[in-house]
Amino acid sequence: MVLDLNLLREEMDLRRPAPGIGTPRQEDDEVEILSGVKDGMATGGALTMFVRNRDRDSDKYKQFRDKPRPGHADQTAVAKYGECHDIRGGGQFSGRMTAALVAGGSVAKQLLAEHGIVVAAYTESIGKVVDARRHGIQDMLSIARSNDLRAASEDVIEAMREEILGAREEGDSIGGVVHCLIDGVPVGLGEPFFDTVEGELAKMMFAIPAVKGIEFGAGFRAAAMRGSEHNDPFVVVQGRLRTAKNDAGGVLGGISNGMPIEFRIAIKPTASIAKEQRTVDLKKMEETSLAIEGRHDPCIAPRAVAVVEAAAALVMADLSIRGGIID
Amino acid sequence: MVLDLNLLREEMDLRRPAPGIGTPRQEDDEVEILSGVKDGMATGGALTMFVRNRDRDSDKYKQFRDKPRPGHADQTAVAKYGECHDIRGGGQFSGRMTAALVAGGSVAKQLLAEHGIVVAAYTESIGKVVDARRHGIQDMLSIARSNDLRAASEDVIEAMREEILGAREEGDSIGGVVHCLIDGVPVGLGEPFFDTVEGELAKMMFAIPAVKGIEFGAGFRAAAMRGSEHNDPFVVVQGRLRTAKNDAGGVLGGISNGMPIEFRIAIKPTASIAKEQRTVDLKKMEETSLAIEGRHDPCIAPRAVAVVEAAAALVMADLSIRGGIID
Amino acid sequence: MVLDLNLLREEMDLRRPAPGIGTPRQEDDEVEILSGVKDGMATGGALTMFVRNRDRDSDKYKQFRDKPRPGHADQTAVAKYGECHDIRGGGQFSGRMTAALVAGGSVAKQLLAEHGIVVAAYTESIGKVVDARRHGIQDMLSIARSNDLRAASEDVIEAMREEILGAREEGDSIGGVVHCLIDGVPVGLGEPFFDTVEGELAKMMFAIPAVKGIEFGAGFRAAAMRGSEHNDPFVVVQGRLRTAKNDAGGVLGGISNGMPIEFRIAIKPTASIAKEQRTVDLKKMEETSLAIEGRHDPCIAPRAVAVVEAAAALVMADLSIRGGIID
Amino acid sequence: MVLDLNLLREEMDLRRPAPGIGTPRQEDDEVEILSGVKDGMATGGALTMFVRNRDRDSDKYKQFRDKPRPGHADQTAVAKYGECHDIRGGGQFSGRMTAALVAGGSVAKQLLAEHGIVVAAYTESIGKVVDARRHGIQDMLSIARSNDLRAASEDVIEAMREEILGAREEGDSIGGVVHCLIDGVPVGLGEPFFDTVEGELAKMMFAIPAVKGIEFGAGFRAAAMRGSEHNDPFVVVQGRLRTAKNDAGGVLGGISNGMPIEFRIAIKPTASIAKEQRTVDLKKMEETSLAIEGRHDPCIAPRAVAVVEAAAALVMADLSIRGGIID
């Protein structure tokens, strides 16, 4: 397989912080390929991609060992890994780890594209600004890739930006929702027990820091619906079997049903905020307060769009290989 | 380990349909133990439990091969498995398969109990009837185990029942939300990549038919929150480190943080309804309509409570073994 | 897929003890199919096969808890599983567990046969009686399936039988070698790291009780060979690429090379013997002696032929599915 | 855990070719640590070690695409991976890949050492020169680490060296046997089905290029033994339960029995030889001949000792973690 390094570069750039709304911390996110590619072709051997950290500012993390940051894994990690846990930059809990997902996901995307499977996502909401429109994949591939909010509707861009800037001005952060669509999925991927399409995607998504929920199709709305309202009627469109809507999100019985796979991801607000928070001094076992200085994104959602796409592509490539669609 | 078969029997009974609101189809759900137990003790060998189907009415399923039921995996399964797919009772896509989860989950629960880990759940909502109160695990272990709605607040029971009966009267069905709490979890279970506590639980939950979403702690609400509002402040309670609330749902960085693990599950309305629905006659490739006769639960949520508990227990037992807490 | 239950019955019978040289313990080894088959077809759902123990004589095993049998896992199992270890019949360490491998292997064989892959084996040696001839798969499919020694050369049958009877007369047992050939394997199955064809087969073979060694192609003989002697020269046979001999045993770099896969399995002598042996009384921590009464095969090798075939078929089916050859 | 980089360096050096008997190709085998270590401590995050190729001579490999080398995976790999297979240096089939095993194995060894588990190996035979003595682990840790043949008996060193030089003089190569011992293993590691101690070790060993066989304890010799001869009698030594000999190789029923684990590995002669060999010109589909120039080890066995130790250490660390011995 030809590996297009320009596409890889584009995906990496889509994950980088945007001027104005993102962290001023600048990493070039250069991907060095250590093995598995020769003359632009994947050789079939292990593909090793390496992204170096360059813009480090490690000193200010030391204090979090004794005064753990609320919403972070500082204390949890020390409990698990002991004193040798590397707390600099959050260590393996850093959002920076998602650069690797995006690099790997770009390869998966290229592999899927050869089989007509396309993964795309966009920012559905930032705080209270919600893009209520339903988008096809074209909006995600064009509009959402050309604005730094990763919004699929142009008229929500400025409101989303203000929501982020408003949070930052107050030394605070804000959450959001990422909406993902996978088009061109053949019927029959996944298993009823236990490797469902939903389960495999969900497991991967929760490896992305800050993800706190996932729903497919109508998701939590389905809980308040009647069956007659929620069930997708079967219809014939141009001689092919389809469903009239897609409240099932493309999955029935854990197996892809041939409709686009559609899911929404809840992204919590960035845990690192400048505002003073309550925490505990672990040495004295006394409550104290903490204000986190540093260069943090006030909202992760726009950057998470590239990560969700990449993670979904990795899962779909795996399911496609297991299902005999690829290779 | 001593295996208490009375506890197993109790769990199986909690999954059975309740008179009035459930399907009249009656299975005794007797668990035969084929291997792995001697003199009431698990031997360490493979534990095989077998639940026979007795109350079968297979003939009426034949038509669904040509006229797939909306919201069901009939057509998806035939596409995947071919003509040999066993469509009787929905085959391996039947909700009946969850009897096995409950049987296995009861063993996991008993194992966890020896280490102070307790799993409990309740029906948080049925259709538009929502129990907005926050419940501790005691409500789930007492109230929610003693009413057939599996409700944790006594004053919502009747409204929930009416919501179900109302749907059934119209030949329809209704969805719900199951809320689950896992108490006594030590800090440090799970991995940041890829075997997160959330990811492992989520993957398992999506193997339960009708589950369409999962969220931990504040979940999707977190998407509209500020960091200062969502972050759990650390506090000292009786000399021990805790968090003031539990918006993280007991997991930080994919790892249990010592607080209860808390999540919500969206259950879609039962796909099988008496009301006429649109579908396609696959032989003629023509749209047609379908009314499903038979004995179906108008709402799965109350029965799903036992299944969610069992599935969560299986995951927690596995994570505890991997984490060196058990054995 | 059609599941031929007669073939299953034949395979099960090939594992049963032969009159005269085998244990007089008689199990009918009836396979009950609990799920996954309808109208003679595998449905795609979980296939559950169940073989009951009928001819039990459990009492005489009790003493082995305190006086562990040399060569058996009695003491090892109690150390691992504790007092709840079920020692009757050797529990999960019983050779009886291989009945399940043969049942599963028969399904794998039928699946492989649809793709032209054939697995067969024979008894290469019993004690000092060695069949030094090289056999093609036809000898294994005809001769070796029609004599109770599972020998591929008719003129070694009686010598092998005498070797077994000689051991039994002295209250002793004897080991043997099983030789296995897998024909029709396409080039390209397996991975160089870590899922090699040899590694996957080896891992499975060591799950068969009494297996103590495995070698592929020239195996240990290769250790004394020169490269010029061991390397398989490439040749053209009827327009197709082959190797002149098959000292590599059908695998190069962990990957099938299109030649038959060929390996040999060392089977240790039955651990249960009537002859007096030294052991330890674990209660007194004192050395003592033990003579095992009961109904034991003086040589497992002939019965192991069916088990090795079945185990190899299970691995090859798995590798074929992963390699996209099947399904 | 403290990671001793000097020990890592020592292990890497033990894998390097020895002057005189090894290839003149010189790699410094420097291990760069890309992640997972801080201030000499493993952090608990992913440990990434990287060994660069420096001394490359890639041009001469091109011809093997059309004229595959007997005994190598050239043709097999092209059949599997297609034209993009990287044939330089043998690609992922190169013995050079074992440098990574040794690096990882050194970490595993250090982890095991903290729990009293020691892995060591030596060259038991080269061609027809066999060291028939039985060695304790001290011989392997002292003598076998201080001579370039990795022999455990000083009086076989020169004969082994001559065996290698004799093969090289004729443009040929020679095989050997590596013998491995694992001391300090607690009783109870491994499972009867399917993750046996033997199976896990065997699977890993076959990932080492040139390995063609493995046997535990008496191994293939057991096939010609009587049960009374092969069974290990239990004895009491200094108040502890032991076996009198160790023909079982430390494993009963797939589970470690507390005795040292002992196995032998067959190493085939190096496939690359200067002597002319028969092969096929794949473009013309015609038989032809090939003489391989270049810098090849005439015998891999002495270098394989470090690799077998490392691979065994990786497996034992994994089994120890799963068995709750470590962590």
Side-chain angles (χ1 to χ4, degrees):
Chain A
M1 157 193 181
V2 174
L3 190 64
D4 188 329
L5 297 179
N6 291 325
L7 290 178
L8 172 59
R9 183 68 263 172
E10 273 176 39
E11 297 293 325
M12 295 303 286
D13 286 345
L14 285 169
R15 199 198 71 96
R16 296 177 68 201
I21 57 169
T23 168
R25 181 169 184 273
Q26 280 300 339
E27 291 281 2
D28 59 8
D29 283 350
E30 191 196 342
V31 178
E32 295 172 50
I33 292 181
L34 302 183
S35 75
V37 177
K38 177 167 181 286
D39 303 336
M41 304 278 284
T43 63
L47 176 60
T48 315
M49 300 190 284
F50 182 46
V51 183
R52 254 173 232 280
N53 279 339
R54 297 185 194 279
D55 185 7
R56 283 171 300 201
D57 179 7
S58 303
D59 278 355
K60 66 170 187 292
Y61 286 90
K62 283 180 192 162
Q63 58 167 323
F64 304 140
R65 206 176 277 276
D66 294 333
K67 291 170 68 174
R69 291 169 293 172
H72 272 287
D74 297 333
Q75 182 267 334
T76 309
V78 171
K80 185 178 181 75
Y81 300 109
E83 284 309 311
C84 53
H85 169 60
D86 185 0
I87 207 164
R88 296 171 303 168
Q92 58 181 311
F93 299 90
S94 169
R96 178 122 187 81
M97 302 299 281
T98 59
L101 285 178
V102 173
S106 172
V107 180
K109 274 187 169 186
Q110 295 183 38
L111 193 59
L112 291 169
E114 291 182 1
H115 297 82
I117 302 172
V118 180
V119 181
Y122 69 98
T123 307
E124 187 183 292
S125 74
I126 302 280
K128 290 177 179 41
V129 180
V130 179
D131 177 4
R133 242 165 285 170
R134 189 144 187 200
H135 293 283
I137 204 154
Q138 279 313 319
D139 289 354
M140 303 179 204
L141 292 174
S142 54
I143 304 171
R145 285 178 81 96
S146 57
N147 71 79
D148 53 6
L149 274 301
R150 304 299 310 269
S153 296
E154 277 166 359
D155 53 11
V156 299
I157 296 176
E158 286 320 305
M160 284 182 171
R161 189 185 313 278
E162 276 162 40
E163 192 81 0
I164 294 176
L165 296 177
R168 178 201 277 175
E169 252 163 59
E170 297 176 31
D172 215 333
S173 64
I174 187 81
V177 168
V178 172
H179 191 125
C180 184
L181 200 70
I182 310 171
D183 218 3
V185 182
V187 66
L189 298 185
E191 305 293 332
F193 289 90
F194 292 87
D195 300 343
T196 63
V197 170
E198 294 137 315
E200 295 288 10
L201 283 165
K203 178 170 170 181
M204 178 61 98
M205 292 301 145
F206 282 112
I208 304 174
V211 168
K212 295 308 282 184
I214 183 168
E215 58 179 14
F216 288 81
F220 277 91
R221 283 187 298 113
M225 286 162 93
R226 291 283 178 92
S228 59
E229 186 186 359
H230 177 268
N231 282 347
D232 289 339
F234 287 107
V235 292
V236 179
V237 178
Q238 296 177 323
R240 297 187 53 206
L241 186 74
R242 310 291 286 168
T243 69
K245 47 201 186 78
N246 190 16
D247 274 355
V251 190
L252 286 171
I255 296 176
S256 62
N257 68 355
M259 294 293 291
I261 292 173
E262 193 157 10
F263 61 92
R264 299 168 74 247
I265 296 288
I267 308 280
K268 74 175 188 182
T270 317
S272 294
I273 56 175
K275 232 177 186 170
E276 198 174 277
Q277 298 178 87
R278 289 161 59 205
T279 185
V280 166
D281 183 319
L282 296 178
K283 282 208 176 133
K284 304 181 185 161
M285 242 358 215
E286 268 178 20
E287 296 186 18
T288 178
S289 68
L290 178 74
I292 303 169
E293 292 164 49
R295 307 165 301 170
H296 300 284
D297 290 282
C299 183
I300 299 162
R303 296 181 66 188
V305 170
V307 181
V308 168
E309 288 182 353
L314 286 163
V315 172
M316 294 313 297
D318 181 38
L319 288 172
S320 298
I321 290 167
R322 285 197 256 165
I325 306 301
I326 293 184
D327 207 332
Chain B
M1 154 194 185
V2 174
L3 191 63
D4 188 330
L5 297 179
N6 291 325
L7 290 177
L8 172 59
R9 183 68 263 171
E10 274 178 38
E11 297 293 325
M12 295 303 286
D13 285 344
L14 285 169
R15 198 198 72 94
R16 295 177 71 201
I21 56 169
T23 167
R25 182 169 183 273
Q26 281 300 341
E27 291 283 2
D28 58 8
D29 283 350
E30 192 198 341
V31 178
E32 295 172 51
I33 292 181
L34 302 183
S35 74
V37 177
K38 178 168 181 286
D39 303 336
M41 304 277 286
T43 64
L47 176 60
T48 316
M49 300 190 283
F50 182 48
V51 183
R52 255 173 232 279
N53 280 339
R54 296 186 195 277
D55 185 6
R56 283 171 300 201
D57 180 7
S58 303
D59 278 353
K60 67 171 187 288
Y61 287 91
K62 282 180 192 163
Q63 57 167 323
F64 304 141
R65 206 177 276 278
D66 293 332
K67 289 170 69 174
R69 291 169 294 172
H72 273 288
D74 298 332
Q75 182 267 335
T76 308
V78 171
K80 185 177 182 76
Y81 300 110
E83 285 308 312
C84 52
H85 169 61
D86 184 359
I87 207 164
R88 296 171 303 168
Q92 57 181 310
F93 298 90
S94 169
R96 178 120 188 83
M97 302 299 280
T98 60
L101 285 177
V102 174
S106 171
V107 181
K109 274 186 171 187
Q110 296 182 38
L111 193 59
L112 291 169
E114 291 182 2
H115 297 82
I117 302 173
V118 180
V119 180
Y122 69 99
T123 307
E124 186 182 294
S125 74
I126 302 280
K128 288 174 180 44
V129 180
V130 179
D131 178 3
R133 242 166 285 167
R134 189 144 187 198
H135 294 282
I137 202 153
Q138 280 312 322
D139 289 354
M140 304 180 204
L141 292 173
S142 55
I143 305 171
R145 285 177 82 95
S146 57
N147 70 81
D148 53 5
L149 275 300
R150 303 300 309 271
S153 295
E154 277 167 359
D155 52 10
V156 300
I157 296 176
E158 286 319 305
M160 284 182 170
R161 189 185 312 279
E162 276 162 40
E163 192 80 1
I164 293 175
L165 296 178
R168 179 203 277 178
E169 252 162 61
E170 297 177 31
D172 215 334
S173 63
I174 187 81
V177 167
V178 172
H179 191 125
C180 185
L181 200 70
I182 310 172
D183 218 2
V185 182
V187 66
L189 298 186
E191 305 293 332
F193 288 92
F194 292 87
D195 299 343
T196 64
V197 170
E198 294 137 315
E200 295 289 9
L201 283 165
K203 179 171 169 181
M204 178 61 96
M205 292 300 145
F206 283 112
I208 304 173
V211 169
K212 296 306 283 184
I214 183 168
E215 58 179 14
F216 288 81
F220 278 91
R221 282 188 298 114
M225 286 163 93
R226 290 283 179 90
S228 58
E229 186 186 359
H230 177 268
N231 283 346
D232 288 339
F234 288 107
V235 293
V236 178
V237 178
Q238 296 175 321
R240 297 186 52 204
L241 187 73
R242 309 292 285 167
T243 70
K245 47 198 185 81
N246 190 16
D247 274 354
V251 190
L252 286 172
I255 296 176
S256 62
N257 69 355
M259 294 294 290
I261 293 173
E262 193 156 11
F263 61 91
R264 299 168 74 247
I265 296 287
I267 308 280
K268 73 176 188 181
T270 316
S272 293
I273 54 175
K275 231 177 186 170
E276 197 174 279
Q277 300 178 85
R278 290 161 59 204
T279 185
V280 166
D281 182 321
L282 295 177
K283 282 208 175 134
K284 303 183 186 160
M285 246 352 218
E286 268 178 19
E287 296 187 16
T288 178
S289 68
L290 179 73
I292 303 170
E293 290 164 51
R295 307 164 301 170
H296 301 284
D297 290 283
C299 183
I300 300 162
R303 297 181 65 188
V305 170
V307 181
V308 167
E309 287 182 354
L314 286 164
V315 172
M316 294 313 298
D318 181 39
L319 288 172
S320 298
I321 290 167
R322 285 196 256 166
I325 306 301
I326 293 183
D327 207 332
Chain C
M1 151 192 188
V2 174
L3 191 63
D4 188 330
L5 298 180
N6 291 326
L7 291 177
L8 172 59
R9 183 67 263 171
E10 274 177 38
E11 297 293 326
M12 295 303 287
D13 286 344
L14 286 169
R15 197 198 73 93
R16 296 178 70 200
I21 57 169
T23 169
R25 181 169 183 274
Q26 281 299 339
E27 290 283 0
D28 59 5
D29 283 349
E30 191 197 342
V31 179
E32 295 172 50
I33 292 181
L34 302 183
S35 73
V37 176
K38 178 168 180 286
D39 303 336
M41 305 277 285
T43 64
L47 176 61
T48 316
M49 300 190 284
F50 182 47
V51 182
R52 254 173 233 278
N53 280 339
R54 296 185 196 277
D55 185 7
R56 283 170 301 201
D57 178 8
S58 304
D59 278 353
K60 67 171 186 292
Y61 287 91
K62 281 180 192 161
Q63 57 167 322
F64 304 141
R65 206 178 277 278
D66 293 333
K67 290 171 69 174
R69 292 169 292 172
H72 271 289
D74 296 333
Q75 182 267 337
T76 309
V78 170
K80 185 178 181 74
Y81 299 111
E83 285 308 311
C84 53
H85 169 60
D86 184 359
I87 207 164
R88 295 172 303 169
Q92 57 181 311
F93 299 90
S94 169
R96 179 121 186 83
M97 301 300 279
T98 60
L101 285 178
V102 174
S106 171
V107 181
K109 274 187 169 186
Q110 295 183 38
L111 194 59
L112 290 169
E114 291 183 2
H115 297 81
I117 301 173
V118 180
V119 180
Y122 70 98
T123 306
E124 187 183 293
S125 73
I126 302 280
K128 288 176 180 41
V129 180
V130 179
D131 177 4
R133 240 165 287 167
R134 189 144 187 199
H135 293 282
I137 203 152
Q138 280 312 320
D139 290 353
M140 305 181 204
L141 292 173
S142 54
I143 304 170
R145 285 177 82 95
S146 57
N147 70 80
D148 53 6
L149 274 301
R150 302 302 309 271
S153 296
E154 277 166 359
D155 53 11
V156 299
I157 296 176
E158 287 318 306
M160 284 182 171
R161 188 185 313 278
E162 276 162 40
E163 191 81 2
I164 294 176
L165 296 177
R168 180 203 275 178
E169 252 162 58
E170 298 175 30
D172 215 334
S173 63
I174 188 81
V177 168
V178 173
H179 191 125
C180 185
L181 200 70
I182 310 171
D183 217 2
V185 182
V187 66
L189 297 186
E191 305 292 331
F193 288 92
F194 291 88
D195 299 344
T196 63
V197 170
E198 293 138 315
E200 295 289 9
L201 282 165
K203 179 171 170 181
M204 178 62 96
M205 291 301 146
F206 282 112
I208 303 174
V211 169
K212 295 308 282 184
I214 183 168
E215 58 179 14
F216 288 82
F220 277 91
R221 283 188 297 115
M225 286 163 93
R226 291 283 178 93
S228 58
E229 186 186 358
H230 176 268
N231 283 345
D232 289 340
F234 287 106
V235 291
V236 178
V237 179
Q238 296 176 322
R240 296 186 55 204
L241 187 74
R242 310 292 285 167
T243 69
K245 47 199 185 81
N246 190 17
D247 274 353
V251 190
L252 286 171
I255 295 175
S256 62
N257 70 354
M259 294 294 290
I261 292 173
E262 194 157 11
F263 60 92
R264 299 168 75 249
I265 296 288
I267 308 280
K268 73 175 188 181
T270 317
S272 293
I273 54 176
K275 231 178 187 169
E276 198 174 277
Q277 299 179 86
R278 290 162 58 207
T279 185
V280 167
D281 183 318
L282 295 178
K283 281 208 176 131
K284 305 184 185 160
M285 243 359 217
E286 269 178 20
E287 297 186 17
T288 180
S289 69
L290 178 74
I292 303 171
E293 291 164 49
R295 308 165 300 170
H296 301 285
D297 290 283
C299 183
I300 299 162
R303 296 182 66 189
V305 170
V307 181
V308 168
E309 288 182 354
L314 286 163
V315 172
M316 293 314 295
D318 182 38
L319 288 172
S320 298
I321 290 167
R322 286 198 255 165
I325 306 302
I326 294 184
D327 208 333
Chain D
M1 148 191 190
V2 175
L3 191 63
D4 188 329
L5 297 180
N6 291 326
L7 290 177
L8 172 59
R9 182 68 262 171
E10 273 176 38
E11 297 293 325
M12 295 303 287
D13 286 345
L14 285 169
R15 199 199 71 93
R16 296 178 71 200
I21 57 170
T23 167
R25 182 170 183 273
Q26 280 300 339
E27 291 283 0
D28 59 7
D29 282 350
E30 191 197 342
V31 178
E32 296 172 49
I33 292 182
L34 302 182
S35 74
V37 177
K38 177 167 181 285
D39 303 335
M41 304 278 284
T43 63
L47 176 59
T48 316
M49 299 190 284
F50 182 47
V51 182
R52 254 173 233 280
N53 280 339
R54 296 186 195 279
D55 185 6
R56 283 170 300 202
D57 179 7
S58 304
D59 278 355
K60 66 171 185 294
Y61 287 90
K62 281 180 193 162
Q63 58 167 322
F64 304 140
R65 205 177 277 279
D66 293 334
K67 290 170 68 174
R69 292 170 291 172
H72 271 288
D74 296 334
Q75 182 266 336
T76 309
V78 170
K80 184 178 181 74
Y81 299 111
E83 285 308 311
C84 53
H85 168 60
D86 185 359
I87 207 164
R88 295 171 303 167
Q92 56 181 312
F93 298 90
S94 168
R96 179 121 185 82
M97 303 299 280
T98 61
L101 285 178
V102 173
S106 171
V107 180
K109 274 187 169 185
Q110 295 183 37
L111 193 60
L112 291 169
E114 292 181 3
H115 297 81
I117 302 172
V118 180
V119 180
Y122 69 99
T123 306
E124 187 183 292
S125 73
I126 302 280
K128 290 177 178 39
V129 180
V130 180
D131 177 4
R133 241 165 286 170
R134 189 144 187 200
H135 293 282
I137 203 154
Q138 280 313 319
D139 289 354
M140 304 181 204
L141 292 174
S142 54
I143 304 171
R145 285 177 82 94
S146 57
N147 71 78
D148 53 6
L149 273 302
R150 303 301 308 271
S153 296
E154 276 166 0
D155 52 10
V156 299
I157 296 177
E158 286 320 304
M160 284 183 171
R161 189 186 312 278
E162 275 162 42
E163 191 81 1
I164 294 176
L165 296 178
R168 179 202 275 177
E169 252 163 59
E170 298 175 30
D172 215 333
S173 63
I174 188 81
V177 167
V178 172
H179 191 126
C180 185
L181 199 70
I182 310 172
D183 217 1
V185 182
V187 66
L189 298 186
E191 305 292 331
F193 289 91
F194 291 89
D195 299 343
T196 63
V197 170
E198 294 137 315
E200 295 289 9
L201 283 165
K203 179 172 169 180
M204 178 61 98
M205 292 300 145
F206 282 112
I208 303 174
V211 169
K212 294 309 282 183
I214 183 168
E215 59 179 12
F216 289 82
F220 278 91
R221 281 187 299 114
M225 287 164 94
R226 291 281 178 94
S228 59
E229 184 187 1
H230 177 268
N231 283 346
D232 289 340
F234 288 107
V235 293
V236 178
V237 179
Q238 296 176 323
R240 296 184 55 203
L241 186 73
R242 310 292 286 166
T243 69
K245 47 199 186 80
N246 190 17
D247 273 354
V251 190
L252 286 171
I255 296 176
S256 62
N257 68 355
M259 294 293 291
I261 293 173
E262 193 156 11
F263 60 91
R264 300 168 74 249
I265 296 288
I267 308 280
K268 73 175 189 182
T270 317
S272 294
I273 54 174
K275 230 177 188 171
E276 198 173 277
Q277 298 177 87
R278 288 161 60 206
T279 185
V280 166
D281 182 320
L282 296 177
K283 280 206 176 135
K284 302 183 186 160
M285 242 359 217
E286 269 178 19
E287 296 186 18
T288 178
S289 68
L290 178 74
I292 303 171
E293 293 166 47
R295 308 166 299 171
H296 300 285
D297 290 283
C299 182
I300 299 161
R303 297 181 65 188
V305 171
V307 181
V308 167
E309 287 183 354
L314 286 164
V315 172
M316 293 313 296
D318 181 38
L319 288 172
S320 298
I321 291 168
R322 285 198 256 165
I325 307 301
I326 294 184
D327 204 333

